């Protein structure tokens, strides 16, 4: 059997990544539609119902046998706690802000990741990274300024703060993932995150869970099942293409969130939101392209060193 050409593998990876982003945007719409349900309760359904989907996928691909074995429970716990808090705050933010605006603010995650990686992993803050961070932060200010102008006690300001907290914690979770890179399988990271999120969400029961009724069951079940499918699609995409190639395509979620927000929730994007989102996306793409360039340079240097040692 002939090997699949790299161009076809990359195209398949891009298709899977775009599908994952589309599915995750739909998941956020389900969460927003179930706005009467507390964020912690929504997180439980999202995580608990995704677990069977993830486990079935791991079983079908052979990743269940030995794939989730680990001794780094502390690392998985740190990643799981940060990721769970990011998910919960993000779900809460959807109750106060339009879907496109939440999506735009969450795009600042790679910008926060650059700063946290420098502080926690000792990665260098080069000129391109610093410039991208500044541009991204300007974009955040443009989006959130109208919300904060209504006063810090307003629902809009609360939604902006919750979503910014979600983005920063998502970046922290990615730092923990980077620290486990090469030592833990993707299957283990996906499994233990879902398990941790489902467990931690139960701690929010005393804060007022409610009994879903009618269509709310569909939204909650859909968020869980679709979220699990999205995790599978995103994980599978990285098997066929590099992260640096796939990352820019995640920004199509902005398009989907605008379409879904308009036709489902009647949300019209504002000019500050679009302008700020453009700057944040520009900063994110610059970071991705720079990281890819540095990765290619490091690989080339290693190859030269290997030839020299022969």
């Amino acid at each position: 059997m002939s090997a699949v050409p790299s161009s076809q593998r990359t195209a398949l990876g891009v298709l899977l990544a775009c599908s994952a982003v589309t599915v995750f945007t739909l998941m956020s719409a389900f969460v927003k539609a179930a706005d009467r349900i507390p964020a912690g309760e929504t997180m439980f359904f999202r995580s608990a119902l995704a677990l069977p989907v993830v486990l079935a996928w791991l079983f079908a691909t052979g990743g269940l046998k030995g794939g989730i074995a680990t001794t780094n429970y502390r690392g998985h716990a740190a990643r799981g706690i940060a990721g769970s808090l990011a998910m919960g705050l993000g779900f809460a933010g959807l109750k106060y802000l339009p879907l496109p605006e939440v999506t735009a603010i969450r795009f600042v995650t790679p910008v926060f990741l650059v700063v946290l990686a420098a502080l926690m992993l000792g990665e260098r803050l080069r000129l391109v990274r610093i410039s991208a961070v500044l541009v991204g932060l300007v974009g955040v200010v443009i989006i959130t300024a109208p919300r904060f102008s209504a006063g810090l006690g307003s629902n809009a300001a609360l939604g902006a703060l919750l979503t910014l907290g979600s983005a920063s914690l998502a970046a922290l979770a990615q730092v923990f993932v980077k620290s486990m890179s090469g030592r833990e399988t993707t299957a283990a990271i996906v499994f233990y995150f879902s398990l941790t999120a489902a467990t931690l969400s139960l701690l929010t029961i005393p804060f007022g869970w409610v009994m879903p009724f009618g269509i709310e069951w569909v939204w909650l079940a859909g968020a869980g099942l679709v979220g699990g499918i999205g995790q599978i699609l995103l994980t599978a995409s990285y098997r066929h293409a590099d992260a640096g190639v796939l990352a820019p395509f995640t920004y199509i979620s902005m398009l989907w969130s605008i379409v879904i927000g308009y036709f489902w929730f009647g949300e019209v994007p504002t000019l500050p939101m679009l302008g700020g989102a453009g700057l944040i996306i520009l900063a994110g793409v610059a970071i991705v392209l720079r990281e890819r360039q540095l990765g290619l340079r490091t690989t080339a240097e290693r190859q030269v060193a290997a030839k020299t040692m022969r």
Side-chain angles (χ1 to χ4, degrees):
M1 183 179 297
S2 59
V4 179
S6 59
S7 58
Q8 293 184 18
R9 288 180 58 85
T10 300
L12 177 58
V14 169
L15 177 62
L16 290 170
C18 290
S19 300
V21 169
T22 303
V23 165
F24 280 133
T25 308
L26 182 60
M27 180 202 74
S28 295
F30 286 154
V31 171
K32 187 170 182 63
D35 61 345
R36 191 182 69 90
I37 309 300
E41 185 177 354
T42 305
M43 187 171 76
F44 171 77
F45 281 94
R46 157 66 179 89
S47 305
L49 294 181
L51 265 175
V53 178
V54 172
L55 287 173
W57 167 67
L58 293 176
F59 177 79
T61 58
L64 191 60
K65 185 178 180 180
I68 60 175
T70 184
T71 58
N72 188 15
Y73 294 105
R74 180 178 298 180
H76 284 290
R79 183 265 189 270
I81 292 172
S84 299
L85 290 173
M87 183 191 299
L89 291 179
F91 287 175
L94 284 167
K95 299 181 183 300
Y96 301 103
L97 293 179
L99 177 60
E101 195 164 325
V102 170
T103 302
I105 295 175
R106 283 296 302 267
F107 282 155
V108 81
T109 296
V111 176
F112 288 159
L113 176 59
V114 168
V115 177
L116 290 176
L119 295 174
M120 300 176 64
L121 302 179
E123 295 187 2
R124 292 178 57 188
L125 273 177
R126 297 178 175 86
L127 180 60
V128 173
R129 290 175 176 174
I130 294 175
S131 301
V133 167
L134 293 176
V135 171
L137 293 179
V138 170
V140 170
V141 171
I142 292 175
I143 294 175
T144 58
R147 300 302 181 181
F148 289 126
S149 64
L152 291 178
S154 65
N155 287 338
L158 176 59
L161 288 172
L162 289 170
T163 308
L164 282 172
S166 174
S168 60
L169 284 166
L172 180 61
Q174 290 186 29
V175 169
F176 290 135
V177 171
K178 290 184 72 171
S179 68
M180 293 189 291
S181 178
R183 294 180 294 171
E184 297 292 323
T185 64
T186 301
I189 293 173
V190 170
F191 172 76
Y192 287 111
F193 167 65
S194 297
L195 183 63
T196 302
T199 303
L200 289 179
S201 64
L202 296 175
L203 299 178
T204 66
I205 291 178
F207 297 98
W209 281 27
V210 299
M211 177 61 68
F213 65 86
I215 195 66
E216 289 175 336
W217 287 107
V218 176
W219 303 144
L220 294 173
L225 297 176
V226 166
I229 293 172
Q231 284 182 294
I232 292 171
L233 290 172
L234 187 62
T235 302
S237 69
Y238 289 120
R239 294 183 176 181
H240 301 283
D242 294 335
V245 174
L246 298 178
F249 291 94
T250 62
Y251 294 110
I252 67 168
S253 61
M254 189 73 250
L255 173 62
W256 286 121
S257 65
I258 291 174
V259 172
I260 294 175
Y262 181 79
F263 287 102
W264 190 341
F265 304 107
E267 299 169 342
V268 179
T270 63
L271 288 178
M273 189 280 293
L274 293 174
L279 288 177
I280 295 173
I281 291 173
L282 178 64
V285 171
I287 290 171
V288 168
L289 294 178
R290 181 56 177 168
E291 293 298 323
R292 185 184 181 195
Q293 182 183 29
L294 292 174
L296 293 174
R297 183 185 301 173
T298 301
T299 301
E301 290 174 351
R302 289 175 178 174
Q303 291 175 347
V304 171
K307 291 179 180 180
T308 303
M309 294 175 64
R310 289 177 182 175

